[in-house]
Amino acid sequence: IGIAGIAYGAKIVPVKAGSGTLLPYSTAAAAIDWVRIYNTADIISYSSSSANSSSQLFTDAIIAATTLGRNGLGIPFITITGNGSTSAIDYPASLSNVIAVGSIDSNGNRASSSNYGSGIDIVAPGVCIYTTDLQNGGQTSTNYWTCFSGTSAAAPNVAGVMALILSVNPTLTLAQARF
């Protein structure tokens, strides 16, 4: 209510994998496995990253989702490159089987906070994005956030475009939908 996304007819399946500011990789891996095993989503949009750590368990969950998910077609795993304004791409966007998203402003310029360089698959608007919010529990005291910024604001735009691609042809493999 009040806004429309890129694929406004797409069904969103929110998966709460934890609470607080730090999500253990084991918990995130379990959430990804749940999505893959129960075929609850055609796309995963993951807005968390780390410049300093990685996890084999989490990497294995992403590999399983991108190869076995959607009944063997592969689930597109869209994730952020990070907001450190560096040329290093954060994990898990640094993995080759994910779609790594950087952020641009309304003029098409790299957002000042967005990581950049080799490894970015796509950029999307991610500066002052108008979005919904949890009233009295989110980032604002209202139902709307008028200036959501960063690669976490850009990744849902890419997920929306991927939803449009798969709505036209849901039998595309990840490789076909990705390129």
Side-chain angles (χ1 to χ4, degrees):
I1 298 172
I3 66 170
I6 292 170
Y8 56 87
K11 179 182 174 187
I12 296 174
V13 181
V15 177
K16 184 174 182 178
S19 61
T21 57
L22 295 176
L23 178 66
Y25 283 127
S26 59
T27 304
I32 292 167
D33 286 340
W34 181 83
V35 166
R36 176 185 53 84
I37 292 167
Y38 294 103
N39 289 315
T40 58
D42 293 327
I43 299 163
I44 295 173
S45 182
Y46 183 80
S47 286
S48 184
S49 68
S50 176
N52 302 315
S53 69
S54 63
S55 161
Q56 190 59 52
L57 178 69
F58 188 56
T59 297
D60 291 344
I62 293 169
I63 291 169
T66 57
T67 57
L68 303 173
R70 288 193 315 124
N71 297 314
L73 297 172
I75 298 172
F77 190 94
I78 297 162
T79 191
I80 63 173
T81 58
N83 298 311
S85 192
T86 71
S87 62
I89 306 303
D90 286 358
Y91 173 84
S94 57
L95 299 172
S96 63
N97 57 325
V98 304
I99 299 170
V101 180
S103 176
I104 57 172
D105 65 20
S106 60
N107 294 316
N109 299 312
R110 180 180 63 85
S112 61
S113 64
S114 180
N115 288 0
Y116 57 91
S118 177
I120 291 181
D121 292 302
I122 192 167
V123 294
V127 177
C128 281
I129 303 299
Y130 196 87
T131 189
T132 55
D133 195 16
L134 298 171
Q135 188 172 18
N136 299 322
Q139 299 293 320
T140 70
S141 61
T142 69
N143 290 330
Y144 300 98
W145 191 359
T146 59
C147 199
F148 178 36
S149 296
T151 53
S152 290
N157 288 311
V158 174
V161 172
M162 183 60 74
L164 290 175
I165 290 168
L166 293 178
S167 74
V168 172
N169 187 350
T171 64
L172 292 174
T173 65
L174 171 57
Q176 292 168 328
R178 185 175 175 165
F179 298 103

